[in-house]
Amino acid sequence: MSAQVDPNGPKLTVIPTNPVPEGARVGYFTTSDKVRLRYALWPKGRGAPKGTICLVQGRTEYIEKYFETIEDFRQRGFAVATFDWRGQGGSDRLIGNRMLGYVDRFDDYWTDLRSFHADILLPDCPLPFYLVGHSMGGLASLYAASRDRMMFDRVFLSTPMVGLYGMEDSLARWALFAEAASFVGLGRLPMARRGDKRPDEAMYPDNPLTSDMLRYTRMVETVRANDALYLGSPTFRWLAAAMRAMVDAGKDSFPGQIKIPLLMLAAARDRIVSTPAIESLGLRLRTGRHMVIPGARHELFMENDAIRGQVLAAFDAFITEQSL
């Protein structure tokens, strides 16, 4: 079962526990450097029109993972526009082994977002635009906010990847190591980690993503229904690019470059990104702030109802009520 624009276009994988929100338009667009990315648009649901949420994902993620959250935004009166980053989901994979996460430079994600804004958001979506980013997408969103304060009116981030759990004091050294490995020709090789295994139900009890079993199972079943959505370990080149971007975001000069309203949510029980790094950045922002959600694991939008309720309440206070 799939929703699509035309018989030859990209499809959305839909399973009984993860229905596609009504009104989906799915297609491809090509970035300024000729990478083909899958995207999807939804009109607003009920309520007065409030603009468009541009939703950007974390590493390994895909459009289908956010169907529930997309519907939450639609029912608040927002249109929603989203896409799969290069190298993941239904977008072009960049190296021969499509299971490995790869990007040449972290700036390539800026190219993806800037192309999406110019080619899809501006011509096809109602103003104003609000950027919502998770994890790696949160770091890419921070860089977008630091470079162009006119693209989005506000930025709302879920556990942005500004540091890695347990690596607060060693990130710069690991960045140098990954850069050196890439320089000597190892950039396309995986740096395998225990957490990069293909998810299944047996991994739920100790998973770092969510305390909600049904939402975790839904993620497992979606990838099982379409193996092409799966992405495994990052390559040394991806790690070099991402770690250098995190190190740069931690510099004293970075917070002052962000000049639009911004809210970051951190998870108190995050074992993927560094909550202390988010707090440190949040305290130094001039036009932004941060909140820590008690009891939450990394994927705030996939957490249990009590935690999601807090996340959506923060979203409403920061974006929905400001768009009236």
Side-chain angles (χ1 to χ4, degrees), residues 2-13 25-29 36-39 64 90 226:
S2 300
Q4 60 184 63
V5 171
D6 62 70
N8 299 317
K11 298 176 176 61
L12 294 174
T13 299
R25 290 176 48 202
V26 190
Y28 290 120
F29 73 101
R36 189 180 71 163
L37 307 184
R38 183 180 68 152
Y39 77 93
E64 290 88 343
N226 182 3

Side-chain angles (χ1 to χ4, degrees), residues 175-202:
L176 286 171
F177 171 73
E179 288 166 344
S182 299
F183 181 75
V184 299
L186 304 180
R188 298 190 175 200
L189 295 181
M191 186 171 180
R193 306 171 302 176
R194 185 178 63 176
D196 295 323
K197 292 181 180 179
R198 186 186 298 266
D200 61 42
E201 292 87 348

Side-chain angles (χ1 to χ4, degrees), residues 60-110:
T60 80
E61 294 188 321
Y62 42 86
I63 293 168
E64 290 88 343
K65 190 170 178 176
Y66 285 88
F67 283 169
E68 180 182 19
T69 300
I70 289 166
E71 186 60 22
D72 289 331
F73 293 152
R74 292 184 66 241
Q75 293 307 310
R76 285 164 165 76
F78 295 100
V80 181
T82 187
F83 65 93
D84 292 333
W85 295 113
R86 64 180 65 204
Q88 64 188 61
S91 293
D92 282 352
R93 302 295 174 100
L94 305 175
I95 57 177
N97 188 340
R98 62 175 289 111
M99 300 298 184
L100 299 180
Y102 181 89
V103 71
D104 286 324
R105 306 169 305 151
F106 200 81
D107 264 5
D108 290 342
Y109 295 129
W110 166 237

Side-chain angles (χ1 to χ4, degrees), residues 145-175:
S146 73
R147 291 174 177 180
D148 191 335
R149 64 186 181 90
M150 303 302 293
M151 287 175 66
F152 299 99
D153 279 39
R154 286 177 174 247
V155 179
F156 181 88
L157 304 181
S158 159
T159 60
M161 190 183 73
V162 295
L164 297 180
Y165 174 76
M167 296 177 62
E168 289 83 0
D169 298 325
S170 60
L171 188 62
R173 294 194 299 274
W174 276 101

Side-chain angles (χ1 to χ4, degrees), residues 39-54:
Y39 77 93
L41 305 177
W42 279 269
K44 77 173 188 68
R46 63 188 178 191
K50 295 183 175 68
T52 300
I53 300 298
C54 177

Side-chain angles (χ1 to χ4, degrees), residues 5-321:
V5 171
D6 62 70
N8 299 317
K11 298 176 176 61
L12 294 174
T13 299
V14 185
I15 59 176
T17 57
N18 193 36
V20 62
E22 292 184 2
R25 290 176 48 202
V26 190
Y28 290 120
F29 73 101
T30 302
T31 65
S32 58
D33 61 344
K34 309 303 181 186
V35 179
R36 189 180 71 163
L37 307 184
R38 183 180 68 152
Y39 77 93
L41 305 177
W42 279 269
K44 77 173 188 68
R46 63 188 178 191
K50 295 183 175 68
T52 300
I53 300 298
C54 177
L55 176 62
V56 294
Q57 315 151 11
R59 195 189 86 82
T60 80
E61 294 188 321
Y62 42 86
I63 293 168
E64 290 88 343
K65 190 170 178 176
Y66 285 88
F67 283 169
E68 180 182 19
T69 300
I70 289 166
E71 186 60 22
D72 289 331
F73 293 152
R74 292 184 66 241
Q75 293 307 310
R76 285 164 165 76
F78 295 100
V80 181
T82 187
F83 65 93
D84 292 333
W85 295 113
R86 64 180 65 204
Q88 64 188 61
S91 293
D92 282 352
R93 302 295 174 100
L94 305 175
I95 57 177
N97 188 340
R98 62 175 289 111
M99 300 298 184
L100 299 180
Y102 181 89
V103 71
D104 286 324
R105 306 169 305 151
F106 200 81
D107 264 5
D108 290 342
Y109 295 129
W110 166 237
T111 299
D112 291 352
L113 181 57
R114 186 173 50 186
S115 296
F116 186 65
H117 184 274
D119 296 343
I120 305 299
L121 283 179
L122 283 175
D124 294 337
C125 299
L127 291 164
F129 300 147
Y130 302 101
L131 183 60
V132 175
H134 170 66
S135 195
M136 184 196 81
L139 181 59
S141 298
L142 284 165
Y143 275 96
S146 73
R147 291 174 177 180
D148 191 335
R149 64 186 181 90
M150 303 302 293
M151 287 175 66
F152 299 99
D153 279 39
R154 286 177 174 247
V155 179
F156 181 88
L157 304 181
S158 159
T159 60
M161 190 183 73
V162 295
L164 297 180
Y165 174 76
M167 296 177 62
E168 289 83 0
D169 298 325
S170 60
L171 188 62
R173 294 194 299 274
W174 276 101
L176 286 171
F177 171 73
E179 288 166 344
S182 299
F183 181 75
V184 299
L186 304 180
R188 298 190 175 200
L189 295 181
M191 186 171 180
R193 306 171 302 176
R194 185 178 63 176
D196 295 323
K197 292 181 180 179
R198 186 186 298 266
D200 61 42
E201 292 87 348
M203 297 167 61
Y204 168 73
D206 190 44
N207 88 88
L209 304 178
T210 174
S211 62
D212 189 282
M213 184 174 67
L214 294 179
R215 291 188 174 99
Y216 184 85
T217 302
R218 185 177 67 196
M219 290 186 268
V220 171
E221 291 175 343
T222 301
V223 173
R224 188 173 291 153
N226 182 3
D227 190 65
L229 296 176
Y230 174 69
L231 186 67
S233 298
T235 57
F236 281 101
R237 183 64 242 160
W238 185 91
L239 285 167
M243 288 179 170
R244 181 55 56 193
M246 286 183 262
V247 170
D248 289 345
K251 293 179 178 177
D252 290 341
S253 59
F254 185 76
Q257 299 171 29
I258 297 173
K259 297 181 173 63
I260 62 177
L262 184 147
L263 176 61
M264 301 186 296
L265 301 189
R269 297 179 62 196
D270 206 321
R271 290 186 285 147
I272 293 180
V273 307
S274 169
T275 294
I278 296 172
E279 293 179 290
S280 175
L281 176 60
L283 291 171
R284 293 179 292 133
L285 288 172
R286 297 179 182 177
T287 58
R289 61 186 189 274
H290 74 281
M291 296 172 51
V292 179
I293 306 297
R297 301 186 198 181
H298 179 62
E299 297 202 350
L300 296 177
F301 288 119
M302 313 299 161
E303 261 287 8
N304 63 60
D305 288 346
I307 290 173
R308 285 187 92 249
Q310 296 177 64
V311 173
L312 292 172
F315 173 86
D316 287 337
F318 186 68
I319 290 185
T320 306
E321 294 171 9

